[in-house]
Amino acid sequence: MFIQKLQSCPEFIAGDNTLLRELLHPDKQPLALRYSLAHAIVLVGETSTLHSLDTSEVYYILTGNGEMFINDESQAVEPGDAIYIPPNAKQSIRNAGREPLSFICIVDPAWRKENETVY
């Protein structure tokens, strides 16, 4: 059995300028995973930096309200929303609320720096 506590994961500023904690990653734990799982936060008034991944990604909104931008589309997002981001899509998310916007990120195959382009 493997259980990862969010608070035991170091928080860092990701390439897209979100506050990130990596929960599960096949390169960092001895787990048979294809994907990586992270917890992200965008602070009030902030927007993640426009970026794209060579891989698909899913965001699951936990707290706060935001606006998701994927290529030329945008849409309001709130807790309980699952957002599919296709490979190579230009994406960012804006905190449009009055509390931190927090969400889970699932990247499949697992996130790797060489697969990300930050604009």
Side-chain angles (χ1 to χ4, degrees), residues 87-105:
N88 301 305
K90 290 184 178 179
Q91 59 165 302
S92 66
I93 190 166
R94 179 176 68 88
N95 183 331
R98 296 174 190 230
E99 66 178 300
L101 175 65
S102 67
F103 51 99
I104 296 295
C105 308

Side-chain angles (χ1 to χ4, degrees), residues 5-116:
K5 302 275 189 204
L6 177 65
Q7 295 306 317
S8 69
C9 301
E11 186 175 76
F12 63 95
I13 298 174
D16 68 353
N17 238 5
T18 58
L19 297 174
L20 201 73
R21 292 178 190 256
E22 286 186 310
L23 288 157
L24 301 174
H25 197 292
D27 293 347
K28 297 181 178 171
Q29 293 111 2
L31 304 171
L33 296 175
R34 271 183 40 101
Y35 61 88
S36 58
L37 177 70
H39 179 271
I41 296 174
V42 178
L43 298 175
V44 175
E46 300 289 321
T47 302
S48 67
T49 303
L50 187 66
H51 64 288
S52 63
L53 300 176
D54 295 347
T55 57
S56 66
E57 187 170 18
V58 172
Y59 287 0
Y60 181 76
I61 307 298
L62 299 170
T63 64
N65 291 286
E67 186 174 11
M68 185 75 213
F69 302 91
I70 300 175
N71 292 325
D72 296 328
E73 296 181 75
S74 66
Q75 187 168 324
V77 294
E78 62 186 12
D81 288 349
I83 305 149
Y84 171 72
I85 305 162
N88 301 305
K90 290 184 178 179
Q91 59 165 302
S92 66
I93 190 166
R94 179 176 68 88
N95 183 331
R98 296 174 190 230
E99 66 178 300
L101 175 65
S102 67
F103 51 99
I104 296 295
C105 308
I106 301 168
V107 179
D108 184 34
W111 180 89
R112 291 188 172 78
K113 185 177 177 90
E114 62 270 17
N115 296 333
E116 181 175 43

